[in-house]
Amino acid sequence: GAVVSQHPSWVICKSGTSVKIECRSLDFQATTMFWYRQFPKQSLMLMATSNEGSKATYEQGVEKDKFLINHASLTLSTLTVTSAHPEDSSFYICSARPGRAPGDTQYFGPGTRLTVL
Amino acid sequence: GIQVEQSPPDLILQEGANSTLRCNFSDSVNNLQWFHQNPWGQLINLFYIPSGTKQNGRLSATTVATERYSLLYISSSQTTDSGVYFCAVYTSGTYKYIFGTGTRLKVLA
C-alpha cells in the first residue's frame, strides 16, 4: 500500500518551454502533497506544500509564478515549471500524506529528472 | 531554523559488515523518519520513529528525543543497501519535515 507515482520519470526540454509533472497517490487519498527539489549529491529541499482545493504554500525563495502547483483532486497534484531555463534542471520529487495530522508520515514518488537545454 | 546533521557523510562497507548512522538535530522535534534513497532516486520509508526503538529485519532505529539524536543500525549489510540514507524531522513550529544532510553508503561485494 501507500504507492505514489510520478509522470514523466524524465524529461528533456528546450529553454523557454513549460513542463508539467504529475504526482498521483494510487491507493490512498491525500489532502496534502509536497514537492521537493534535489540537486546532485544534495539533500531534499521542500519547494511547496499542496493542499487539495486550495492554493499551494511556497517555501521562501521559491517563485510561485515559475513553479505552478495545482492539487485538483485527492489523488493528483501537478507541478508546472514555466519558461524553464537550464538552472531549473534538477530532480523533482513529490510526496503524499495519507493522514491528516501535519506530522504524519509521507510517501514518496520515484522522482522526475528534468533537463533544460 | 532547526539544523539536521548526519554522520558519517560517506561510508564504504564490505558485504556482511554492520554499521551505525547518526542523525543529530538542533531543536526539539515532534516526529522523525528515516528513508533510504536507492541509486535510481526512489525514497523508501524505513522507520517512523519519534522516540524509542524499532526493528525491521536487518535494520533497526533508535531515537532519543531528549538528547536530540537518532541512530540507524544496519546489520549484515548487502549490496542492495547501497544508496543514501536520510533522516527527516518534523517540528510543530514549522509544519514540515526538514531533511538531514544524508549518509551515502556503498556496500561492496
Side-chain angles (χ1 to χ4, degrees):
Chain A
V3 179
V4 177
S5 71
Q6 269 184 254
H7 178 81
S9 54
W10 59 270
V11 57
I12 301 173
C13 69
K14 292 183 178 179
S15 186
T17 60
S18 294
V19 174
K20 180 185 281 189
I21 303 170
E22 291 186 350
C23 177
R24 293 181 185 273
S25 55
L26 299 185
D27 52 2
F28 64 95
Q29 292 185 332
T31 54
T32 304
M33 291 183 172
F34 305 87
W35 287 95
Y36 293 84
R37 185 172 182 177
Q38 186 180 32
F39 290 108
K41 300 200 174 185
Q42 293 189 23
S43 188
L44 280 73
M45 297 297 295
L46 180 65
M47 298 174 65
T49 300
S50 165
N51 293 293
E52 188 265 340
S54 64
K55 290 184 179 180
T57 302
Y58 291 82
E59 294 299 302
Q60 193 171 10
V62 177
E63 297 176 62
K64 62 180 180 181
D65 294 331
K66 180 164 192 63
F67 298 101
L68 300 179
I69 292 172
N70 183 276
H71 193 159
S73 77
L74 288 172
T75 59
L76 173 64
S77 176
T78 60
L79 168 68
T80 301
V81 183
T82 62
S83 187
H85 291 288
E87 57 265 30
D88 299 323
S89 298
S90 189
F91 191 53
Y92 292 88
I93 310 172
C94 74
S95 71
R97 190 181 73 206
R100 291 193 169 270
D104 281 352
T105 192
Q106 302 174 28
Y107 295 92
F108 285 80
T112 296
R113 199 163 301 278
L114 170 64
T115 301
V116 185
L117 302 177
Chain B
I2 190 170
Q3 303 297 314
V4 187
E5 298 286 334
Q6 292 183 240
S7 60
D10 296 280
L11 186 59
I12 300 176
L13 298 175
Q14 206 64 39
E15 200 168 29
N18 303 328
S19 62
T20 301
L21 282 56
R22 188 176 180 103
C23 170
N24 289 332
F25 37 95
S26 61
D27 204 349
S28 300
V29 301
N30 300 96
N31 284 312
L32 186 145
Q33 289 191 250
W34 281 98
F35 297 93
H36 173 215
Q37 187 172 37
N38 67 23
W40 296 272
Q42 171 78 62
L43 275 105
I44 300 161
N45 293 49
L46 297 178
F47 294 102
Y48 178 81
I49 185 166
S51 64
T53 297
K54 290 186 177 180
Q55 180 155 8
N56 185 3
R58 296 182 296 103
L59 303 181
S60 64
T62 295
T63 296
V64 184
T66 53
E67 296 187 22
R68 300 180 183 173
Y69 73 89
S70 183
L71 302 174
L72 178 69
Y73 306 94
I74 304 174
S75 64
S76 303
S77 58
Q78 301 175 357
T79 55
T80 51
D81 295 332
S82 297
V84 185
Y85 290 81
F86 289 105
C87 64
V89 301
Y90 175 84
T91 62
S92 57
T94 63
Y95 295 101
K96 61 186 179 184
Y97 274 93
I98 304 295
F99 276 75
T101 49
T103 291
R104 190 171 301 272
L105 172 65
K106 185 162 188 174
V107 181
L108 304 175

